[in-house]
Amino acid sequence: MYKAFYGLNDNPFSIAPNPHYLFLSDRHREALAHLTYGLGETGGFVLLTGEVGTGKTTVSRCLLNQLPENTDTAFILNPSLTELELLATLCDELNITYGESPTLKQLTDRLSQFLLANHEKGRNTVLIIDEAQHLRADVLEQLRLLTNLETDTKKLLQVILIGQPELQQLLKRQELRQLAQRITARYHLLPLTEQEIALYVQHRLQVGGRHEPLFHRSAIKALHKYSGGIPRLINLLCERALMAGYAQSKVPIDAKMVRTAASEVLGEEIKQEGSLLWPSLAAVAVGITFAGAFYLFNQQQVNQQQSPNSPSETVIANEQKSVTPSAMQQADKPAPQKSLSASQQVLRSAIEQSRSIDTAYAAILGLWGKSPYIGLTACQSAQQQGLDCFQQQGNWHSLVRLNYPAVVYLVDDAQQPFYGTVVSRQGEQLLLQLSEQQLWVDREWFTRHFSGTMELLWQAPPYQPKEIGKGAPATQIQWLENALAHIQDKSPRLVSHFDDELEQSLKAFQRQHGLRADAIAGNQTLVQLNLYLSDKGPRLQESGGRY
């Protein structure tokens, strides 16, 4: 229904499992590593637990795809079985034939023969049981007996138990202490953090065909609050929020839409925090603002008379206006029209005309000598013309360091979103385009109104590896050393392997740019590096951009 409106090719937040949308957070990767380690050991049991909807099944499916080809796998999804039914189901999964009305001993014997034959062929056998918290104690004990079949070096059957936190309590029972001692690896999967939710949402949107950010930062905070970091709930909330945005023809998705979605999905009334205090606080704030803005405005007029050549009052041709910080402060407030100067009225009008992000994207495309395509989103238009979009979370320093023109997500003093394009920089001032107006703003004003999300365009190199780590070819490792040295304004070393100094340098770069400091130059890290190295396209300031 809403796919065309948002520039999507697919529904990105369906709760149906789709391998194309696989997103592994740091926690999911760690869980996968624990399971892989456990299967590599000689023990018989591996345990994965987590709350409903945290992605346990996602991890297990990913594990299945990574198992070697010489592995026979049995997957049991409904473990509410008796001992006899469990063994029969296991035989069915492994294509082991048995007669009608078999006994427990007959099934056990057939399984034992199969496991021994598999071992002689050099094959492994793995049993994965989902929803394992429903297993009865006597069934778990039967599984333990099956794993008694072993050689001098390994168990012939390895079992992965996946379940909710109650499974941990079940395994603490006295009669299951022998099984608990055979668990070689265990991991409890926690919900996603707020930062991981932002990456998760953006990942699914990109797979669905939209590369521009669609959820405001406040919406991500609301998703974290109401979903508790549970991916399944995140999908449900995002789906409802997109429906609300489509119904209102509104982009991006804000916290209010997520709050409304939460009340529908969770079936309870969600109250906005501070709603009872707002009217009285707003009245006091408006009064104080009027007094302060009036004083600051008068003071600014005196300063302008004393310093006629100050940067903040330079008039720019072609509808570029100069707006002083006090004028901007006052223009954001609901002051009477008669108290506003001409420059304040210009700013207020520009903000009101900048509620749609499309005008900001059109401006940044123009800076690259490109234009939007009808029927395509801004990033799709950019890609058709040889450019890529890159989203960055940051602050004034991040913007200055990157040194690229950027679409910036802003909020006025009523916390309502508007959008601008940072065109140029002079010292502590930025040239900001709002709709058709270009205005110089100072650092204090920008910091106060910047929400932290920016989007820029860049021209990616013809070839870029997927990642550079310790096992990468020597040429790629040398390139990484050269790139980091260039960004840090120092001479590169000649390196033959990924040594400790390169690892520490890469980690420092990743930490400074809000990336996971894992000493692996993955996609996000490589994009950041290439942004500094590229000499293509416009810059905010010709001499800036150093790390």
Side-chain angles (χ1 to χ4, degrees):
M1 182 183 299
Y2 55 69
K3 290 188 291 187
F5 177 73
Y6 292 117
L8 293 165
N9 304 320
D10 192 14
N11 179 0
F13 296 108
S14 170
I15 61 173
N18 186 336
H20 294 296
Y21 287 94
L22 176 65
F23 174 82
L24 292 179
S25 69
D26 290 346
R27 297 165 194 245
H28 289 89
R29 293 181 189 278
E30 191 173 350
L32 185 60
H34 274 73
L35 296 186
T36 305
Y37 168 79
L39 290 179
E41 290 295 293
T42 57
F45 288 88
V46 176
L47 181 66
L48 174 64
T49 57
E51 287 292 347
V52 177
T54 50
K56 301 184 296 296
T57 303
T58 298
V59 172
S60 64
R61 290 179 184 275
C62 191
L63 177 68
L64 282 174
N65 293 332
Q66 294 187 11
L67 291 176
E69 293 183 359
N70 66 333
T71 303
D72 290 315
T73 307
F75 208 128
I76 296 179
L77 297 173
N78 180 16
S80 298
L81 305 168
T82 65
E83 299 169 73
L84 190 64
E85 290 170 337
L86 178 74
L87 294 185
T89 303
L90 180 53
C91 287
D92 293 339
E93 287 286 313
L94 296 173
N95 296 319
I96 301 172
T97 58
Y98 52 88
E100 292 186 7
S101 303
T103 64
L104 196 63
K105 181 180 183 306
Q106 288 172 334
L107 290 174
T108 302
D109 289 344
R110 295 307 305 269
L111 280 167
S112 298
Q113 292 168 11
F114 175 87
L115 293 173
L116 286 169
N118 247 18
H119 176 64
E120 291 176 0
K121 298 174 188 176
R123 299 189 64 82
N124 302 317
T125 309
V126 175
L127 169 61
I128 301 176
I129 302 180
D130 204 358
E131 303 293 342
Q133 73 275 3
H134 295 303
L135 287 169
R136 291 161 34 182
D138 54 349
V139 176
L140 281 168
E141 179 61 18
Q142 182 63 47
L143 281 175
R144 184 189 69 82
L145 294 175
L146 272 180
T147 61
N148 279 341
L149 195 61
E150 59 188 352
T151 66
D152 291 339
T153 57
K154 65 176 290 188
K155 300 284 185 181
L156 299 188
L157 176 66
Q158 293 180 302
V159 182
I160 299 176
L161 299 177
I162 302 173
Q164 296 170 22
E166 302 92 277
L167 178 58
Q168 297 183 18
Q169 299 302 317
L170 175 62
L171 294 174
K172 290 180 180 179
R173 293 171 61 167
Q174 180 69 14
E175 64 267 34
L176 294 176
R177 64 187 183 281
Q178 288 180 291
L179 186 151
Q181 291 172 2
R182 293 191 181 183
I183 297 175
T184 56
R186 62 179 74 208
Y187 190 86
H188 183 70
L189 194 58
L190 294 173
L192 299 179
T193 64
E194 184 179 319
Q195 183 180 13
E196 288 170 336
I197 290 175
L199 295 173
Y200 174 82
V201 170
Q202 188 61 23
H203 167 78
R204 295 189 76 96
L205 288 171
Q206 288 177 351
V207 175
R210 181 185 175 95
H211 295 272
E212 301 94 329
L214 185 54
F215 284 74
H216 194 272
R217 189 173 67 171
S218 63
I220 298 297
K221 289 181 178 293
L223 281 173
H224 181 254
K225 175 180 178 181
Y226 297 123
S227 72
I230 304 298
R232 191 175 301 161
L233 281 179
I234 294 171
N235 284 3
L236 291 172
L237 293 175
C238 287
E239 172 76 11
R240 292 296 182 91
L242 290 181
M243 292 289 290
Y246 171 72
Q248 302 172 33
S249 298
K250 186 176 180 181
V251 174
I253 304 301
D254 57 26
K256 184 178 180 181
M257 294 180 189
V258 175
R259 192 181 306 114
T260 302
S263 66
E264 296 174 0
V265 171
L266 303 177
E268 57 187 44
E269 187 67 26
I270 305 294
K271 294 183 179 180
Q272 186 171 359
E273 294 181 3
S275 58
L276 297 178
L277 293 176
W278 169 245
S280 58
L281 290 177
V284 175
V286 168
I288 294 174
T289 302
F290 283 162
F294 182 75
Y295 170 78
L296 290 172
F297 177 69
N298 287 333
Q299 186 65 35
Q300 184 67 34
Q301 300 305 311
V302 174
N303 293 339
Q304 287 180 349
Q305 293 174 2
Q306 293 174 349
S307 306
N309 297 321
S310 62
S312 64
E313 75 172 89
T314 303
V315 179
I316 310 298
N318 298 326
E319 290 192 301
Q320 294 179 18
K321 306 291 182 181
S322 169
V323 182
T324 61
S326 58
M328 291 178 176
Q329 222 171 22
Q330 196 169 2
D332 285 339
K333 303 293 184 179
Q337 190 68 24
K338 63 180 182 180
S339 67
L340 297 179
S341 68
S343 60
Q344 294 161 359
Q345 292 181 37
V346 167
L347 177 62
R348 167 177 282 187
S349 175
I351 289 175
E352 288 305 318
Q353 294 175 26
S354 302
R355 301 296 183 182
S356 171
I357 198 171
D358 292 337
T359 54
Y361 279 127
I364 196 171
L365 282 167
L367 293 173
W368 283 82
K370 314 295 182 183
S371 58
Y373 286 174
I374 297 175
L376 296 181
T377 66
C379 278
Q380 289 171 340
S381 297
Q383 289 171 346
Q384 290 292 323
Q385 300 173 79
L387 300 177
D388 286 297
C389 290
F390 180 70
Q391 183 189 3
Q392 171 80 32
Q393 296 292 323
N395 51 25
W396 166 279
H397 295 290
S398 307
L399 181 65
V400 169
R401 190 166 55 232
L402 285 170
N403 199 37
Y404 279 81
V407 171
V408 288
Y409 288 44
L410 305 163
V411 291
D412 60 23
D413 284 358
Q415 295 303 303
Q416 296 302 308
F418 66 103
Y419 308 92
T421 304
V422 178
V423 175
S424 180
R425 178 173 78 95
Q426 288 186 7
E428 295 289 285
Q429 290 191 326
L430 296 175
L431 182 59
L432 180 67
Q433 180 159 342
L434 299 175
S435 187
E436 299 300 322
Q437 302 289 338
Q438 288 191 345
L439 315 121
W440 286 100
V441 301
D442 66 12
R443 178 174 174 176
E444 185 277 331
W445 186 92
F446 180 80
T447 300
R448 182 158 53 88
H449 291 276
F450 184 41
S451 72
T453 300
M454 66 183 100
E455 180 94 5
L456 53 87
L457 300 179
W458 74 298
Q459 189 170 340
Y463 167 74
Q464 178 173 292
K466 291 185 177 180
E467 67 175 36
I468 302 176
K470 291 189 175 181
T475 53
Q476 293 182 6
I477 294 175
Q478 185 63 57
W479 177 91
L480 182 61
E481 165 66 25
N482 295 347
L484 289 169
H486 176 77
I487 293 168
Q488 297 167 353
D489 279 326
K490 66 180 186 180
S491 299
R493 301 174 300 128
L494 183 62
V495 293
S496 59
H497 64 284
F498 204 113
D499 60 13
D500 290 341
E501 185 174 342
L502 179 57
E503 178 178 338
Q504 295 306 315
S505 181
L506 178 57
K507 284 183 175 180
F509 179 85
Q510 290 173 322
R511 279 192 292 268
Q512 182 160 8
H513 292 81
L515 303 168
R516 188 162 74 97
D518 56 2
I520 298 175
N523 180 64
Q524 292 290 313
T525 300
L526 290 172
V527 169
Q528 287 276 6
L529 288 168
N530 279 300
L531 283 171
Y532 289 116
L533 301 177
S534 174
D535 58 357
K536 308 291 184 182
R539 293 296 188 272
L540 295 182
Q541 187 169 285
E542 289 303 319
S543 60
R546 282 294 175 190
Y547 155 59

